[in-house]
């Protein structure tokens, strides 16, 4: 079976076929085109710089390594609001390097202790202070606008259930979800108009049962055109271990985004797939049977001084996963 491939206009046509160790090119006649296995990478794999030359250089390096898509992760946390001009600038850089967008990481708002519900912090879409909640909705709308400008069909969003407070005050649970529902109700028409879906990511900051309850409540209330899930393989390995593929299978019809990275089950390391303890054959099998479409998305953290070498290893690992996914 063939890979997902990306073709650029040129002379002869080439085709990627699965082969151990990567995605060699094979001529099938006609004109040449640049054919690559389609893979996405997070833009903050080497950290978040604010210098524009550095950001542009990051996109260039991602493209040079073979990746066809980016997962915009700059300012994934905090209160930063992108201007329309910044959105245009990023899109022009993407076009310059032949990159497309696979999802975008939105932000939950201001920094806070996510396990408790006591004080109030700015732009929190789960807040029970109404103006603050609306400011959080506005922040997410800003990321929906950015996703639409970059051509992404999804934004990834964190939903932190304040489980420590809920354990002490069970009545706090319904107040929390009332605020969440109010915000999502307001976001739904905006997202549907922009054709951008919200995907709720599984997290490691709470016991797994709270994450599953959140998914169940949300998916019972909202249609899949508006709301899906982002499956983070590293977080799942930390929380659910060997049960993670089975849990993903239960929600496969809502899987529209992935964060693919590895770890040893103890820390959120964001290693290259194959460097940790995740059973990738099982994970890729479940993804292949799910609603997920498009390139696999690697969310990595580079600590290698040679970023070019690191990106090459990451791309090769992604090709191997794509081969597993395609069977």
């Amino acid at each position: 079976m063939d890979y997902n491939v990306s073709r650029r206009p040129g002379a002869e046509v080439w085709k990627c076929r699965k082969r151990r160790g990567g995605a060699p090119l094979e001529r099938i006649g006609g004109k040449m085109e640049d054919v690559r296995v389609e893979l996405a990478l997070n833009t903050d794999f080497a950290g978040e710089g604010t210098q524009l030359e550095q950001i542009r250089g990051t996109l260039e390096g991602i493209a040079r390594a073979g990746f066809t898509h980016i997962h915009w992760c700059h300012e994934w946390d905090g209160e930063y609001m992108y201007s329309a001009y910044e959105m245009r600038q990023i899109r022009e850089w993407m076009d310059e390097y032949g990159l497309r967008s696979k999802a975008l990481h939105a932000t939950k708002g201001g920094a806070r202790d996510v396990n408790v519900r006591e004080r109030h912090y700015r732009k929190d879409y789960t807040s029970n202070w109404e103006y603050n909640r609306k400011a959080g909705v506005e922040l997410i709308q800003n990321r929906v606008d950015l996703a639409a400008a970059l051509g992404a069909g999804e934004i990834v969003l964190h939903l932190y259930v304040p489980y420590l407070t809920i354990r002490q005050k069970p009545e706090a649970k319904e107040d929390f979800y009332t605020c969440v529902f109010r915000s999502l109700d307001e976001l739904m028409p905006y997202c549907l108009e922009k054709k951008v879906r919200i995907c709720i990511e599984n997290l490691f900051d709470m016991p797994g049962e709270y994450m599953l309850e959140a998914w169940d409540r949300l998916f019972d209330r909202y249609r899949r055109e508006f709301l899906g899930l982002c499956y983070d393989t590293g977080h799942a390995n930390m929380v659910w271990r060997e049960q993670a593929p089975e849990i993903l299978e239960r929600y496969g019809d809502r899987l529209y985004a992935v964060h693919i990275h590895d770890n040893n089950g103890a820390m959120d390391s964001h290693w290259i797939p194959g460097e940790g303890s995740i059973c990738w054959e099982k994970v890729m099998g479940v993804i292949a049977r799910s609603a997920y479409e498009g390139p696999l998305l690697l969310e990595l953290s580079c600590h290698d001084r040679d970023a070019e070498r690191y990106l090459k290893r990451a791309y090769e690992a992604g090709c191997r996963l794509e081969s597993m996914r395609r069977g």
Side-chain angles (χ1 to χ4, degrees), residues 104-115:
L104 175 151
H105 209 312
T107 172
K108 72 180 188 312
R112 61 184 186 271
D113 185 343
V114 296
N115 297 323

Side-chain angles (χ1 to χ4, degrees), residues 44 53 76 88 90 95-96 105 134 139 147 154 158 163 166 177 188 204 209 220 223 270 310 316 319 323:
D44 64 344
E53 290 85 356
W76 70 270
R88 187 181 303 174
I90 297 166
D95 292 343
E96 179 181 357
H105 209 312
K134 284 185 173 292
L139 180 61
E154 311 87 18
H158 289 184
Y163 76 96
I166 290 172
Y177 278 107
M188 182 164 62
F204 64 87
E209 61 265 26
D220 284 345
R223 63 200 215 209
H270 287 262
Y310 178 87
E316 290 172 349
C319 289
S323 179

Side-chain angles (χ1 to χ4, degrees), residues 85-97:
Y85 297 105
E86 290 176 300
M87 297 178 191
R88 187 181 303 174
Q89 178 67 89
I90 297 166
R91 182 58 187 261
E92 287 185 3
W93 287 336
M94 289 171 58
D95 292 343
E96 179 181 357
Y97 298 118

Side-chain angles (χ1 to χ4, degrees), residues 68-81:
T68 56
H69 293 66
I70 61 167
H71 182 52
W72 188 263
C73 277
H74 281 63
E75 311 297 342
W76 70 270
D77 200 16
E79 306 163 40
Y80 189 83
M81 299 281 281

Side-chain angles (χ1 to χ4, degrees), residues 292-305:
Y292 188 82
E293 294 180 345
L296 296 175
L297 192 167
L298 277 62
E299 192 189 43
L300 305 178
S301 181
C302 173
H303 300 287
D304 194 324
R305 291 185 177 180

Side-chain angles (χ1 to χ4, degrees), residues 55-74:
I55 296 173
R56 182 180 184 178
T58 294
L59 298 184
E60 181 181 10
I62 290 173
R64 187 186 298 120
F67 291 93
T68 56
H69 293 66
I70 61 167
H71 182 52
W72 188 263
C73 277
H74 281 63

